[in-house]
Amino acid sequence: MKKKMFFNQNKQTLMDVAAGIQKADLVILNCKILNVYTGEIMDDHSICIKDKWIACISQDADAQTGPNTLVIDAKGMTVIPGLIDGHTHLANYFSPTQFLPYAIAGGTTCMVTETTEAYPVAGIDGVIDFIESYQDQPVKVFNTAPVMVSISKATNGIPEDELEKLLKREDVLGLGEVYWQSMLQYPERILPLMNMTLAMGKTVEGHSAGARGEKLAAYVGAGVSSCHEPITMEQALERLRMGIYVMAREGGVREDLEAISTIKDLEIDLRRLILVTDSVSPEFLMKNGTLEYVLQKAIKLGFDPVDAVRMVTLNVAEHFGIDHMVGGIAPGRFADLCIIPDIRTIKPAWVISNGQVIARDGECKVLPRVHTYSPKSLNSVNLKKTFSQNDFQIQAPTGTKKAEVRIIEKITQLVTKEQILSMPVKNNQIQVDIEKDIIKIAAVDRVKKSNQCFTGLVSGVGMKQGAIAASASWDTRDITVMGADEADMALAVNRIGQLQGGVVVCSNGRVLAELPMPIMGIMSDLSIEQIAGRTKQVNQAAKELGVVFEDPILSLITMTSPAIPYLKICEEGLVNLKDGKTIGLFVK
C-alpha cells in the first residue's frame, strides 16, 4: 500500500499558487460556491486548483491563471463539494469497473465501505484484495474493518492482530458496524476490538436496530459514534440526542429517508445527520444512480438545500475525522467538486476529483482501473462432494409419529420469528408441507472442507416447487438454499460450486436462472447491464415458483444475518437472536 496516500507534501506549491507566484493547473471561473462551513452561497467566485488540491478561492483569479491553465467557465452555476457516501457495501454484486462509472457520473467522489462480506469467505487476504480493488481509482474509497459478528461460531470474530493490521492502514477509518445485541450479549469478545479501534483514534460504526432507552445508552456509552438503522423520526432523534451521527438510508436494501424527513420540522441542529445509500442494487444503480439521488430526494422532501448538502459532505467528513481533506471547498482540501445548475438541482454538469475532470453532463470521462483479483479470491467455493437430495433430509427421533419442531416464520422479506409446530413423521423423516407453506432451508459451509450442513424448515415464503440458492449469505461463509424439493436444492448448491459463487434457481431438475458471482462468491464479473438482467431473471424465476417477496435474493441471503431479528440459520443450526444461542430443530 502507498504510504501517506492522502497527505499533501507540496504545501509550498499551494502557497505559491495562492500568492500568484505559480500558476494553477485548473481554474473554475464565474461560479457560486456553497461554503458548507458557514452556510453561505458566495456569488461570483473562482476556485484555483494545483495538482489534486484546492490552492485558493478568490473573486479574481488572474494572478493564478497562466497559458497552461485549464479554465472552466461555470457561467453562474453552483459548486458544491464532491459527495461522500458515509456507509455503503461495495462488496455487493458488482466489481469497481462496473459500479464506479455510475457513482462518478452522479458526483460521488468519496465513499466509506464495509468489508465484512469478504472476511468470512476469504479471510484478511480477501479483505485486503477487496480494499486494493478500490485503490488508485478516480475517486477515493475508504473502508471500515470487519468486526465479524456472526451467528456461526466458525466465522464469529476477528483476531486482534488482524484487526490491528487493518486499522494501521491509512484507508481504513475504523471498525465496521457492530450489532448491538451481540455487543451486549458478548462484551468480552467485542469490547477489546472497540477499545483497540478507539485507542488508535478511529471510529466505531453502529448498528442499533430496535435498541432504545437504557440499552441504547449502554451501547452508545461503549464508544459507538454512528448508526444507520433508524427507520422513524423518533428513533433518529433519540440517537441524535445521545450525540451520535445518524445516517438516514435510501438505497437498495432500505428506503428510510421519507419516514425520517419530518425531523426537519423540529427546528433542531442537523449537523449530525448524514445521508447514505447502505449499498445499491443493480436495478437501483441503473435507474437512480447513487448518492446524488438521495440528496435530490432530501431536497424534494423539504430539507434546506444547504443542510442537505452538508449531510453528504462536511457532516460525513467530520464524523470520520477526514474533514481536513474532504467535505468542503477550502484551501488545502482535495479538489473534489460538483458543478451543478443551482443549489436545488443535483445534476452535475462537471465532476472533479483529485483536481481532474472525471465526468461531464452525466457521463464518466475517466474509466476505473481494472483490478486483478487473487486466485484465492476467484476460488472461494470449496465443495468437496456432489450434494444429493439425501443431504437435505431431516431425520426425526426414532419411533416418533409426530415431532415438535422450530420453524423459521418469515414475517416480512427480512424479519423472521420462531414458530413451533407439531409435524408428522413419514419414513422417519420430517417432510415439507406445501399446503401449509412449510418448505426446507439449509446452510452449507462453502469454505471448510467438511462442508458442514444444517437443514431446517421455513414458512411464509410461498414457494410451491423448486429451489433457490445463494453464496453471498450475510455474515457467514455459507451457501443458503431453500426449496420445496430436496433434489432441486442439491442441484442449486452443486451449480453454485461449478460457478464458484452466485445465485441459482432450479425446478424439476433444471436450472431456470442464474447469476454467476465468482469474485469471492459475492461479486459478479459481468457487466452492470448483464448483472441487472440476470438479477431480474433470478428473482422472476423464484416468484414463478411461488416466492411472495419482491426481492427473493435479498430475502434468502439475509437468513444468516444477526443484524435482522429473530430466528436465523447457519451451518451449525438455528440461532435465536434474542439470546444469541444456537438451538436445534427439535423442541425437547
Side-chain angles (χ1 to χ4, degrees):
M1 162 180 183
K2 292 182 179 179
K3 299 296 183 181
K4 301 299 180 184
M5 58 191 294
F6 301 113
F7 178 70
N8 177 16
Q9 300 183 21
N10 299 312
K11 296 186 184 301
Q12 184 64 56
T13 301
L14 291 187
M15 294 168 61
D16 288 347
V17 171
I21 299 171
Q22 290 193 45
K23 305 303 179 184
D25 296 327
L26 171 64
V27 171
I28 304 171
L29 298 175
N30 303 321
C31 62
K32 298 177 180 178
I33 298 175
L34 171 56
N35 190 314
V36 292
Y37 305 108
T38 63
E40 301 171 277
I41 297 178
M42 306 186 304
D43 289 329
D44 194 21
H45 273 67
S46 299
I47 303 171
C48 302
I49 297 165
K50 186 68 175 179
D51 192 22
K52 300 179 180 181
W53 311 88
I54 297 172
C56 65
I57 297 163
S58 68
Q59 290 182 297
D60 181 3
D62 287 347
Q64 290 80 23
T65 305
N68 297 319
T69 301
L70 173 64
V71 176
I72 296 175
D73 187 348
K75 299 179 179 178
M77 289 193 287
T78 300
V79 183
I80 63 174
L83 311 185
I84 307 172
D85 194 342
H87 180 80
T88 189
H89 294 258
L90 296 182
N92 175 45
Y93 279 113
F94 21 67
S95 66
T97 54
Q98 298 303 313
F99 169 74
L100 286 178
Y102 286 87
I104 287 168
T108 299
T109 59
C110 183
M111 286 160 273
V112 183
T113 180
E114 295 278 334
T115 60
T116 189
E117 295 84 0
Y119 188 81
V121 297
I124 189 171
D125 291 340
V127 172
I128 292 172
D129 198 9
F130 166 72
I131 288 175
E132 292 183 349
S133 74
Y134 276 97
Q135 277 192 354
D136 300 320
Q137 296 289 7
V139 296
K140 285 171 279 297
V141 177
F142 294 96
N143 308 271
T144 55
V147 66
M148 213 45 247
V149 173
S150 176
I151 62 173
S152 167
K153 296 180 181 64
T155 54
N156 191 40
I158 180 172
E160 291 188 24
D161 61 328
E162 292 189 356
L163 176 60
E164 183 178 16
K165 181 177 180 180
L166 290 173
L167 290 173
K168 285 181 177 179
R169 295 179 63 101
E170 191 181 8
D171 52 10
V172 174
L173 299 181
L175 188 64
E177 51 189 316
V178 178
Y179 304 147
W180 74 275
Q181 300 99 325
S182 300
M183 195 205 77
L184 296 185
Q185 289 166 1
Y186 304 106
E188 70 281 0
R189 296 182 192 169
I190 298 175
L191 280 178
L193 305 179
M194 295 175 62
N195 290 337
M196 174 189 291
T197 304
L198 296 171
M200 295 178 70
K202 301 199 172 186
T203 68
V204 176
E205 300 303 290
H207 188 290
S208 64
R212 62 180 184 272
E214 291 82 0
K215 289 183 178 179
L216 180 61
Y219 180 63
V220 174
V224 169
S225 57
S226 77
C227 181
H228 59 277
E229 287 297 316
I231 60 175
T232 67
M233 180 273 288
E234 292 78 12
Q235 291 177 3
L237 182 61
E238 183 180 18
R239 285 155 178 77
L240 288 173
R241 284 172 171 168
M242 290 191 183
I244 68 174
Y245 285 83
V246 170
M247 299 176 172
R249 292 177 294 190
E250 192 76 13
V253 176
R254 295 272 323 186
E255 296 180 357
D256 301 322
L257 179 55
E258 185 169 359
I260 292 174
S261 66
T262 53
I263 202 168
K264 70 184 184 301
D265 303 321
L266 299 182
E267 297 183 358
I268 62 170
D269 195 314
L270 299 178
R271 286 298 309 281
R272 290 193 173 221
L273 188 61
I274 291 170
L275 305 177
V276 300
T277 63
D278 195 15
S279 82
V280 292
S281 65
E283 182 180 6
F284 187 100
L285 182 65
M286 294 185 68
K287 180 181 178 181
N288 302 316
T290 56
L291 199 55
E292 77 278 14
Y293 168 83
V294 185
L295 174 56
Q296 187 69 75
K297 184 170 183 177
I299 294 171
K300 288 181 178 179
L301 287 170
F303 281 97
D304 177 86
V306 174
D307 284 338
V309 171
R310 280 174 169 159
M311 293 173 197
V312 290
T313 56
L314 184 60
N315 296 8
V316 197
E318 288 182 336
H319 164 55
F320 285 106
I322 55 175
D323 51 303
H324 61 293
M325 297 189 293
V326 294
I329 302 173
R333 273 63 170 184
F334 276 105
D336 296 350
L337 310 165
C338 294
I339 304 177
I340 57 178
D342 58 76
I343 193 61
R344 293 184 174 275
T345 307
I346 312 303
K347 189 176 181 181
W350 303 80
V351 180
I352 296 166
S353 175
N354 296 326
Q356 181 182 17
V357 175
I358 60 171
R360 182 80 168 92
D361 293 328
E363 182 181 349
C364 177
K365 294 295 185 182
V366 179
L367 295 178
R369 174 186 64 82
V370 177
H371 178 72
T372 301
Y373 292 92
S374 72
K376 182 179 178 181
S377 294
L378 298 175
N379 293 275
S380 68
V381 179
N382 182 21
L383 298 185
K384 289 300 182 181
K385 68 175 183 177
T386 301
F387 280 76
S388 72
Q389 61 185 22
N390 295 334
D391 290 300
F392 303 107
Q393 292 178 351
I394 300 175
Q395 298 294 325
T398 303
T400 57
K401 294 183 178 180
K402 284 190 174 182
E404 295 286 315
V405 297
R406 295 180 177 88
I407 296 176
I408 302 173
E409 182 181 357
K410 293 283 277 185
I411 303 302
T412 69
Q413 179 164 274
L414 301 179
V415 177
T416 66
K417 73 175 185 179
E418 180 182 82
Q419 181 184 28
I420 296 178
L421 288 180
S422 179
M423 294 286 290
V425 176
K426 183 178 180 182
N427 298 327
N428 204 37
Q429 295 180 28
I430 304 294
Q431 311 284 348
V432 301
D433 191 333
I434 303 301
E435 291 184 1
K436 293 183 179 179
D437 193 15
I438 299 173
I439 62 173
K440 290 186 175 180
I441 182 169
V444 179
D445 188 328
R446 67 177 174 92
V447 174
K448 196 173 181 180
K449 293 180 180 180
S450 66
N451 292 148
Q452 184 176 357
C453 174
F454 177 84
T455 303
L457 298 166
V458 60
S459 68
V461 176
M463 181 176 278
K464 305 300 183 186
Q465 63 185 60
I468 178 172
S471 60
S473 305
W474 285 16
D475 303 306
T476 67
R477 60 191 187 195
D478 293 339
I479 294 172
T480 309
V481 56
M482 62 183 179
D485 182 271
E486 294 88 347
D488 286 327
M489 292 171 71
L491 176 60
V493 170
N494 291 329
R495 181 57 180 158
I496 284 179
Q498 294 167 354
L499 295 172
Q500 274 300 309
V503 189
V504 178
V505 178
C506 299
S507 184
N508 296 319
R510 295 189 305 112
V511 174
L512 303 181
E514 63 185 27
L515 169 63
M517 304 175 77
I519 305 171
M520 303 186 208
I522 56 179
M523 294 178 284
S524 180
D525 57 357
L526 299 178
S527 70
I528 188 65
E529 294 81 8
Q530 290 173 315
I531 295 171
R534 293 287 190 98
T535 302
K536 184 176 181 180
Q537 290 172 10
V538 167
N539 279 330
Q540 184 59 38
K543 291 177 185 179
E544 290 174 359
L545 297 180
V547 177
V548 297
F549 302 116
E550 180 61 29
D551 190 340
I553 298 174
L554 182 64
S555 177
L556 176 63
I557 63 178
T558 54
M559 292 294 286
T560 56
S561 177
I564 307 168
Y566 279 102
L567 188 63
K568 294 303 177 75
I569 188 172
C570 68
E571 80 285 356
E572 297 165 357
L574 301 175
V575 178
N576 186 332
L577 299 186
K578 293 181 180 180
D579 58 18
K581 294 182 179 179
T582 303
I583 51 181
L585 179 68
F586 296 98
V587 180
K588 296 181 181 180

